[in-house]
Amino acid sequence: MQVTLKNLTKKFGNTTAVNTFSAVLRDGELTCLLGPSGCGKSTILNMLSGIIPVTGGEIWFDDDNVTKLPPEERGIGLVFQNYALYPHMTVLENISFPLEIKKVPRAQRTERAMEMAKLVHVDQYINRKPKQLSGGQQQRVAIARALVKEPRLLLLDEPLSNLDARLRLEMREEIRRIQLRTQVTTVFVTHDQEEAMSISDHIMLMKLGVLQQYDEPQVLYDDPANQFVADFLGNPPINNIPGTVKDGCFTANGGSAVPLSFLKGIGSKQVNLSVRSESFVVRPAGTPDTIPCICTGVYKTGKEEMASFTLGDTEFRAYIDLEEGLEKGQNVSLGFRGRGVFVFEKESGVRLV
């Protein structure tokens, strides 16, 4: 099922939590709603589910306008951060409960619940109570309960935040496996960029209720729309070197002017030269399109080195080939690889290159 959001807006008093948000979620895909805490992710999820009413705009499920429909008429499955399993029920009873509410015959709902239990790999625990399960097992039961009624849309609100790091990794892979198996259109809310990058078909990155960029994960990383997108995605974070562009030269704060061919046509502006750590490369001194730096530290990470450098007043980090043999205090000319190099206007964050 395709989901269309048209100028979706939600206000709480004088506070605008979501501001004219428009996007089309493709049929059968897993889309991540990503952004820092308080950006409006869960608010959008709650409007999709019908839990909270919209202030403005429309929500369409295929050709159906569901903007004013109550939750029970939308055909959705919800998985919350706290799982919300019934403690007095067994695993099988928890999974089959939505079908019991719909008055599905016992034999049919038991058969369907067993199918879901097998899908999420909890079929060996069907007679246990929630307190007898691990966090990951409880999460699987919650997902099975959401899927058992064959929803048109599956909504997951930070479902992994209560799990430890290793279990988070395991469960996000499981969620992706289940979604690919069922092909149900899914919206996954998270503030974890690594989580979003690893399992989603598309990411909607938000800031203060406004959609910043909506695209495939690798496109957001390689081709960010603005400074916020570039800063939010990446580990280690992107290096931002503040300075001035004038006449095709970049002058880092506290540094000297360096000609860089990709700056031609920008004019005179205060900017951030923003470069991914893997996008630097050591070049011979005097090579065009390089920046003269001082190495301030070298840290071995196996097949590569993570080195720190200064340019003007700014320190930044770069992955460097071990064969370079860099040493602390060494003067180094750094060039740039074909991608991962951007120029953003300092004040607005608008991308210039």
Side-chain angles (χ1 to χ4, degrees):
M1 180 187 71
Q2 178 175 287
V3 178
T4 303
L5 309 177
K6 299 181 179 179
N7 297 317
L8 202 59
T9 298
K10 180 61 185 178
K11 294 183 178 181
F12 297 99
N14 294 324
T15 301
T16 301
V18 177
N19 193 0
T20 57
F21 190 103
S22 296
V24 176
L25 283 60
R26 300 179 188 180
D27 180 29
E29 287 195 350
L30 191 157
T31 301
C32 272
L33 264 171
L34 177 65
S37 297
C39 71
K41 306 184 298 294
S42 292
T43 301
I44 287 181
L45 200 80
N46 288 332
M47 286 191 286
L48 281 169
S49 69
I51 291 175
I52 62 173
V54 306
T55 303
E58 296 176 339
I59 302 170
W60 291 74
F61 290 179
D62 285 335
D63 296 324
D64 301 326
N65 187 341
V66 301
T67 310
K68 296 183 179 180
L69 280 184
E72 62 272 16
E73 295 181 23
R74 295 194 183 196
I76 55 166
L78 272 169
V79 179
F80 296 103
Q81 180 177 337
N82 63 359
Y83 317 145
L85 300 178
Y86 300 108
H88 63 287
M89 293 183 180
T90 65
V91 166
L92 191 65
E93 289 168 341
N94 264 286
I95 295 174
S96 62
F97 186 71
L99 300 181
E100 185 178 345
I101 294 296
K102 295 174 72 173
K103 303 191 182 304
V104 174
R106 178 186 294 273
Q108 187 177 340
R109 68 177 184 249
T110 299
E111 180 183 1
R112 178 68 179 155
M114 279 301 303
E115 289 178 8
M116 290 299 100
K118 289 177 181 177
L119 176 67
V120 303
H121 298 164
V122 295
D123 48 306
Q124 65 269 47
Y125 309 122
I126 57 171
N127 294 316
R128 293 188 184 182
K129 299 288 181 64
K131 67 180 180 180
Q132 297 173 294
L133 304 176
S134 69
Q137 290 164 349
Q138 290 183 43
Q139 185 59 277
R140 291 168 191 263
V141 175
I143 292 170
R145 186 179 60 186
L147 290 172
V148 74
K149 57 184 179 180
E150 299 180 315
R152 303 166 71 189
L153 178 66
L154 178 62
L155 304 174
L156 305 166
D157 192 1
E158 303 222 30
L160 309 181
S161 58
N162 289 337
L163 305 179
D164 61 51
R166 184 174 181 178
L167 200 50
R168 283 175 72 104
L169 179 61
E170 177 186 323
M171 278 307 303
R172 78 187 188 201
E173 292 172 350
E174 272 298 290
I175 287 172
R176 184 54 168 161
R177 178 189 67 82
I178 294 165
Q179 192 275 330
L180 288 172
R181 176 83 176 272
T182 60
Q183 288 294 294
V184 62
T185 304
T186 301
V187 179
F188 185 107
V189 166
T190 181
H191 62 270
D192 186 325
Q193 53 107 358
E194 184 178 334
E195 204 164 81
M197 292 284 288
S198 66
I199 67 170
S200 55
D201 294 298
H202 286 81
I203 292 175
M204 295 188 290
L205 181 56
M206 298 181 64
K207 176 187 178 184
L208 298 177
V210 177
L211 180 62
Q212 301 295 305
Q213 191 168 354
Y214 177 29
D215 219 316
E216 296 175 5
Q218 199 61 43
V219 174
L220 266 71
Y221 185 81
D222 292 335
D223 194 17
N226 55 43
Q227 182 81 68
F228 175 78
V229 177
D231 288 346
F232 199 86
L233 296 175
N235 187 22
I238 197 167
N239 297 293
N240 292 315
I241 306 173
T244 304
V245 171
K246 185 177 181 180
D247 299 328
C249 292
F250 175 71
T251 305
N253 291 349
S256 303
V258 180
L260 297 173
S261 61
F262 55 83
L263 299 179
K264 292 179 179 177
I266 289 181
S268 180
K269 294 181 183 294
Q270 294 288 320
V271 301
N272 274 333
L273 174 61
S274 300
V275 187
R276 301 280 182 202
S277 294
E278 68 272 18
S279 297
F280 288 105
V281 59
V282 176
R283 300 289 190 201
T287 302
D289 283 340
T290 59
I291 52 176
C293 308
I294 299 173
C295 179
T296 57
V298 179
Y299 317 94
K300 296 189 186 301
T301 60
K303 66 178 180 179
E304 295 176 306
E305 289 180 338
M306 171 67 82
S308 58
F309 302 89
T310 56
L311 177 63
D313 298 333
T314 303
E315 185 170 74
F316 60 93
R317 295 174 292 178
Y319 286 110
I320 302 297
D321 195 298
L322 280 170
E323 295 179 359
E324 297 294 344
L326 297 185
E327 296 180 358
K328 183 177 180 180
Q330 182 178 345
N331 291 317
V332 182
S333 290
L334 292 181
F336 309 99
R337 301 188 189 277
R339 64 181 186 180
V341 182
F342 316 103
V343 179
F344 299 102
E345 192 170 41
K346 187 75 170 77
E347 185 172 345
S348 69
V350 170
R351 182 172 160 187
L352 305 172
V353 173

